[in-house]
Amino acid sequence: MNTGFPSKKLDVTGLPQKGTSINLDGGKAELDLLSQALGVERLHSFRAEINAKPWKLKGAYLAGLIKATVEQTCVATLEPVITELDCEFERYFLPQGDPALDDHTIVEGELVIDPEEDDIPDELDGKFIDMWSVVIEELNLQIDPFPRTQAASRLEDFEQATTSDTHKPFADLKTLITQKKARE
């Protein structure tokens, strides 16, 4: 998936109990690759600080902070929109076949997720976690899919404020019909 990124794979089998720190910085090449992977105009800056600890014997727990400056195109005005992202995340990973991965409810072929319960852990493919994949997934969750400039947002707020619930869409039509009948 992330061809071109420098290798940054975490071996979960050798994680120390106190954890280990992983830092990913965005040089020009990484910023260009991340921009393409995220489908944005440009990433101006990027930094991820991640702490990895062992979890449930053969799994891993990741807690991280990602900071990025993202440039996108406004969906209304086509002007650039610069957004500062500052997001924290937690992820859990377990090896394939671990019974905890099957600890969820399936009803009529559909996975039932309780919003009050913990997230289902990600499944490890082997013993490595591709850190760039984790970062891309987390950034994708934070990036606005429909970015708007402040001017476009203010215009939308104005349009919503001037259109009230009491406005009757056919009131003008009724007036026109009444005027036409009066002329006949």
Side-chain angles (χ1 to χ4, degrees), residues 18-49:
K18 66 180 179 186
T20 187
S21 293
I22 300 119
N23 293 316
L24 300 173
D25 288 309
K28 177 156 176 33
E30 290 82 8
L31 292 174
D32 290 344
L33 289 167
L34 280 170
S35 297
Q36 291 172 7
L38 297 167
V40 298
E41 293 298 317
R42 183 173 169 211
L43 241 63
H44 293 272
S45 65
F46 164 80
R47 177 158 177 78
E49 299 170 359

Side-chain angles (χ1 to χ4, degrees), residues 10 17 28 38 47 55 57 70 72 77 85 102-103 111 131-132 170-171 173 180-181:
L10 175 69
Q17 282 302 114
K28 177 156 176 33
L38 297 167
R47 177 158 177 78
W55 184 66
L57 298 177
V70 181
Q72 296 174 272
T77 64
L85 298 178
D102 296 327
D103 191 21
L111 176 65
M131 299 308 291
W132 285 109
F170 295 106
L173 182 59
K180 183 179 178 188
K181 286 182 181 181

Side-chain angles (χ1 to χ4, degrees), residues 155-175:
L155 177 61
E156 184 176 279
D157 292 343
F158 174 76
E159 288 171 350
Q160 288 176 356
T162 57
T163 306
S164 68
D165 292 334
T166 59
H167 178 74
K168 298 181 173 129
F170 295 106
D172 295 333
L173 182 59
K174 183 179 179 182
T175 304

Side-chain angles (χ1 to χ4, degrees), residues 31-180:
L31 292 174
D32 290 344
L33 289 167
L34 280 170
S35 297
Q36 291 172 7
L38 297 167
V40 298
E41 293 298 317
R42 183 173 169 211
L43 241 63
H44 293 272
S45 65
F46 164 80
R47 177 158 177 78
E49 299 170 359
I50 304 165
N51 188 31
K53 293 181 179 179
W55 184 66
K56 291 195 176 192
L57 298 177
K58 295 182 180 180
Y61 164 75
L62 303 181
L65 173 66
I66 300 174
K67 294 183 179 216
T69 305
V70 181
E71 181 178 327
Q72 296 174 272
T73 302
C74 174
V75 296
T77 64
L78 301 180
E79 294 175 3
V81 178
I82 308 289
T83 307
E84 297 289 331
L85 298 178
D86 191 358
C87 59
E88 295 180 14
F89 69 91
E90 291 182 332
R91 299 278 290 270
Y92 297 87
F93 292 85
L94 287 172
Q96 288 178 341
D98 191 292
L101 289 171
D102 296 327
D103 191 21
H104 50 269
T105 307
I106 297 180
V107 176
E108 296 178 10
E110 296 291 327
L111 176 65
V112 178
I113 298 175
D114 183 354
E116 300 298 320
E117 289 183 9
D118 292 334
D119 289 340
I120 298 170
D122 291 300
E123 191 172 328
L124 281 169
D125 186 20
K127 64 179 187 172
F128 294 100
I129 299 172
D130 182 352
M131 299 308 291
W132 285 109
S133 292
V134 170
V135 165
I136 289 169
E137 288 173 16
E138 293 298 328
L139 279 172
N140 265 321
L141 292 171
Q142 298 298 318
I143 291 174
D144 185 352
F146 305 105
R148 293 180 175 273
T149 62
Q150 287 183 345
S153 295
R154 282 194 303 270
L155 177 61
E156 184 176 279
D157 292 343
F158 174 76
E159 288 171 350
Q160 288 176 356
T162 57
T163 306
S164 68
D165 292 334
T166 59
H167 178 74
K168 298 181 173 129
F170 295 106
D172 295 333
L173 182 59
K174 183 179 179 182
T175 304
L176 287 172
I177 291 171
T178 305
Q179 289 173 351
K180 183 179 178 188

